[in-house]
Amino acid sequence: MQKEAEFTRISATADIKVQRHGARAKCLQRLIRLEMPVPDTIALPFDTVRRLAAGDRIDSGALLQTFDGAPLLSVRPSAEVTDWGGPGTILNIGLTVDRVEALAEIIGEHAADELFLRFILSYAVEVARLDAEAFADDATAQAALATYECETDEAFPNDPATQLSDVLRSMARAWEGTSARLLRQAKGAPADAGLGLLVQRMVIGAGRGECGFGMIQFVDSQTGAPGITGHYVSNGQSRAALSEDGEVLFLQRDPQGPSLEDRCPDQFAALCALGARTRTSLREEMQIEFKLQDGALCILDAMRAPRSSRAQVRIAVDLAQDAVITKDEALLRIHPSALSELLHPQVAPDHKRSMIAHGIAASPGGATGRIVFSAAAAQALAAQGGDCILVRHETSSEDVRGMNAARGVLTERGGITSHAAVIARGLGVPCVVGAASELQIKPREKLLRTRSGQTFREGDVITLDGTAGVVLEGAARLVEPGQDEAFLTLMVWAEAVTDIGIRANADTPADAKTASRFNAGGIGLCRTEHMFFEHDRLTVMREMIFADSAEDRQAALDRLLPMQRADFLELFRTMKGLPVCIRLLDPPLHEFLPQGRAGVRELADAMDLPLSEVSARVKGLAEFNPMLGMRGVRLGITIPEIYDMQARAIFEATAQAARQGIVTAPEIMIPLVSAKREVELVKARIAAAAAQVRVQTGVEFDYELGVIVETPRAALRAGEIADHVAFLSFGTNDLTQMVYGLSRDDAGRFMSTYVQQGVYLEDPFLRMDTEGVGELLILGAERGRAARSDLILSICGEHGGNADSIAFCRKAGFNYVSCSPFRVPEARLAAAQLAISDRRSARRTSSSDEAKNVP
Ligand code: PEP
Ligand code: MG
């Protein structure tokens, strides 16, 4: 194999590769190809830099001699991906006592001394690893040289080759340092990521004609809107120029002060022209680093303009609309998770964070408010127009209204599919759960204590960052969400290429409105129990649960019927004929039981029963393991009147909608099935309810029956279940719980230890376990489709919005995924990217097949 060159001069034709020399080297080559005035640059490939880090030396004298006229040099890092970082650039290498004198002849004594001083300081800190503080009082190069000698017992190297060699070695070593490695790995770099180094002829940027350093970009980094931003420092030399002595100028003409445009109109126009050329040729919005040397323009570097998530979308859409890139490329350029930042306010990235605890990032977004420890306090504060963060051990049905009133929710216990997490995501409220190892809540004392011993009381202000899963002290600056034109356009493009349905999990009319705002293809899961969490309904629901005679139960159900009917009608109206999949009552009844004495007393009042009797009934209904107890279809079989009422409400709403011109065929889903007989029993009663409503209303309507596959047995027996239903939707929350034998409400306690120790690669409630749970999905899908080829398959657990589970479901031939309404855009973009990538690889395969057939 041919030995790789130790270094290569970057020219239009040189063999420069991103994977060998880094992105910055490749970008400079592209700029050279565009005939931009880039200073002479030598690229050291990853291999050379690795050898330097290991202690080898390169012939820096020979390297120096490749530059004409022994110029001063800079060394810049060039990682494969710019975001992976790298050591800071070092400027003015080659300055020695003799050369400073020569330089003073050209640029003046003061400027030459300044440059030397800065070089000595950066060399001392970056190469000799001295403390910057030691040089704090040094105002001249002479003083800094003395300090250097005193600190190191050696004279400052007065030889350009030694300086260059030491700089290269120290930058190579800095890349191998532990914190640099961890930092880049956190940004997705592989463990063996390489670093290239660029040795570039310095443009002094200081002198008698107009000299200076500037950065310019042609979009706003926050919004992505076109507009010139950046700065120019006359007599400045580097990015740090703003903090130096130079005169800071606006780039564009500005009434508030002098500008580059005024002072150097030709150079400014040339920069704008270069910006336009980089945009079309590099197909990206770039930030350009430039210098003026006696009025001549030099381009030192260009990199992808930094951008917020919102700007990222705007830039990609604008580039596609200007035909610089295709729509497919625009879709591929945006990471799906970046969209969630556009839907929720976020803690400003530059906000100085004082973290008090971290937990599980259960629902994205940032929220600031006063601590409250009860749902009632949250509602009371919200009623006065106050912002609050509801802090609970965990949440239950009684907290839902308080959660709705709060800006954010923090719980001590729970995991990614706990009650608090699921409800918060549905409501779009930022939420952090499972913070027990870092904080303790004492609701009675209205006190929150952190592991470090800090205490917070009701009324104290905290901030939740639900995107990162952290709790911050005090108020934080929030960045408002930005669903602008560009976002909407991107969503339309995504929808056009997506080949798997994206529905929303929407429980209430308000959720359905959100789902419809994000163009969900329908509702994939309406958890009807969430319709009962309104206070007046909760009491009736409890009366129904506690009824000890058939008449009392029916009386309560008769009161619930019109409420449910009105909700369903509203859902049908909002979704305008799109599919709506309604799940019959599912949760363990304990979720409806009153918590604490006050709740029991309230119920006793409502039912006009003695407190002791209601207490006894609450106790009587308690289960050892409610998640595996009287819930789901087991309720429907033992108390069939509940499902009868729900079926009737659904059908009556269907008939009413039809009269209003909205034709809908509701999908009714049976929860927690594990045996086909359960389906047979419920199916017969639902058919009877449909027949009755058709007769009573005189309206013909269709409906579909399906099962949410949440138990391993339902997946295994999907074949015989599919004989009775039109669809199966995999409820991967419960399925994960049951496949692992892992409580979704308690796993938060040990999940981080499990993930840290590599027992699980990731929390399986967050990221679908494609091996175990996934195998059951495939098995269930195959067995179901073998029994009924037109069986509709979907997933409606929290995994529904994740890119990797969408990829899994697409591959397995599922019809749609369903996720919380706020995740619909993210899911749609992920699905679009999968479709585009598949199409591209199919095209590649067919063109290589064609090539093979060429005679
Ligand atoms: C599930 O179990 O995946 C599901 C969607 O139902 P829930 O989260 O309501 O239990
Ligand atoms: Mg479930």
Side-chain angles (χ1 to χ4, degrees), residues 310-576:
R310 181 177 175 192
Q312 198 181 337
V313 172
R314 169 83 192 258
I315 291 169
V317 168
D318 282 357
L319 286 172
Q321 283 178 331
D322 295 345
V324 176
I325 59 173
T326 61
K327 288 180 185 171
D328 281 2
E329 276 182 273
L331 288 164
L332 289 173
R333 281 188 181 192
I334 291 147
H335 197 284
S337 63
L339 294 185
S340 87
E341 278 182 43
L342 276 72
L343 309 182
H344 307 279
Q346 300 288 336
V347 176
D350 57 355
H351 175 76
K352 207 163 163 294
R353 290 159 173 250
S354 164
M355 191 176 93
I356 53 175
H358 88 269
I360 297 170
S363 177
T368 287
R370 298 188 178 284
I371 296 176
V372 291
F373 290 95
S374 71
Q379 286 171 251
L381 195 62
Q384 296 161 16
D387 294 338
C388 63
I389 304 290
L390 176 60
V391 180
R392 305 281 291 152
H393 287 308
E394 62 205 341
T395 62
S396 70
S397 52
E398 286 182 329
D399 296 310
V400 174
R401 277 167 55 110
M403 292 173 75
N404 214 348
R407 291 273 158 194
V409 177
L410 167 65
T411 69
E412 204 178 45
R413 304 183 197 134
I416 198 75
T417 58
S418 61
H419 181 271
V422 171
I423 299 287
R425 275 196 295 279
L427 295 173
V429 172
C431 176
V432 176
V433 300
S437 59
E438 307 228 338
L439 53 80
Q440 228 189 353
I441 297 166
K442 299 190 183 288
R444 276 216 202 128
E445 296 161 41
K446 300 201 167 116
L447 194 79
L448 181 160
R449 183 172 287 121
T450 67
R451 198 166 57 170
S452 66
Q454 266 177 295
T455 51
F456 295 85
R457 299 185 180 278
E458 188 151 275
D460 287 349
V461 173
I462 56 169
T463 295
L464 293 189
D465 183 341
T467 310
V470 298
V471 188
L472 308 172
E473 185 177 0
R477 194 164 63 75
L478 300 180
V479 183
E480 281 310 309
Q483 296 155 48
D484 50 16
E485 262 316 295
F487 169 82
L488 299 175
T489 306
L490 191 84
M491 285 298 100
V492 172
W493 294 349
E495 198 169 349
V497 293
T498 306
D499 54 10
I500 183 167
I502 311 285
R503 294 199 197 177
N505 294 350
D507 308 329
T508 61
D511 291 347
K513 287 197 178 80
T514 311
S516 153
R517 180 153 64 92
F518 294 136
N519 268 349
I523 293 177
L525 171 63
C526 167
R527 296 170 161 106
T528 48
E529 56 271 20
H530 292 171
M531 294 173 157
F532 297 117
F533 290 151
E534 292 286 313
H535 190 255
D536 49 341
R537 299 176 180 201
L538 192 55
T539 308
V540 185
M541 188 69 185
R542 285 173 174 164
E543 285 179 47
M544 189 276 292
I545 294 166
F546 283 95
D548 62 354
S549 73
E551 294 76 39
D552 286 353
R553 172 161 294 131
Q554 196 54 51
L557 286 168
D558 287 347
R559 283 162 63 205
L560 289 172
L561 176 79
M563 300 178 192
Q564 285 255 278
R565 187 173 55 218
D567 283 343
F568 294 138
L569 181 59
E570 195 54 34
L571 285 189
F572 297 151
R573 277 211 290 242
T574 308
M575 298 313 291
K576 301 189 178 81

Side-chain angles (χ1 to χ4, degrees), residues 583 586 631 672 708 710 731 733-734 744:
R583 183 178 75 184
D586 171 57
R631 60 171 286 208
L672 214 80
I708 173 165
E710 293 165 294
N733 301 335
D734 272 310
R744 46 196 276 202

Side-chain angles (χ1 to χ4, degrees), residues 243-274:
S243 58
E244 295 165 1
D245 296 339
E247 178 195 10
V248 182
L249 268 63
F250 289 100
L251 289 170
Q252 235 171 342
R253 189 158 299 136
D254 195 300
Q256 293 176 53
S259 69
L260 182 66
E261 186 175 10
D262 279 329
R263 192 172 293 178
C264 302
D266 294 347
Q267 290 86 337
F268 178 76
L271 268 175
C272 294
L274 290 181

Side-chain angles (χ1 to χ4, degrees), residues 59 117 189 205 265 356 386 526 558 603 641 653 688 717 801:
D59 187 348
L117 173 62
I356 53 175
C526 167
D558 287 347
L603 184 61
E641 301 89 334
R717 306 304 296 163

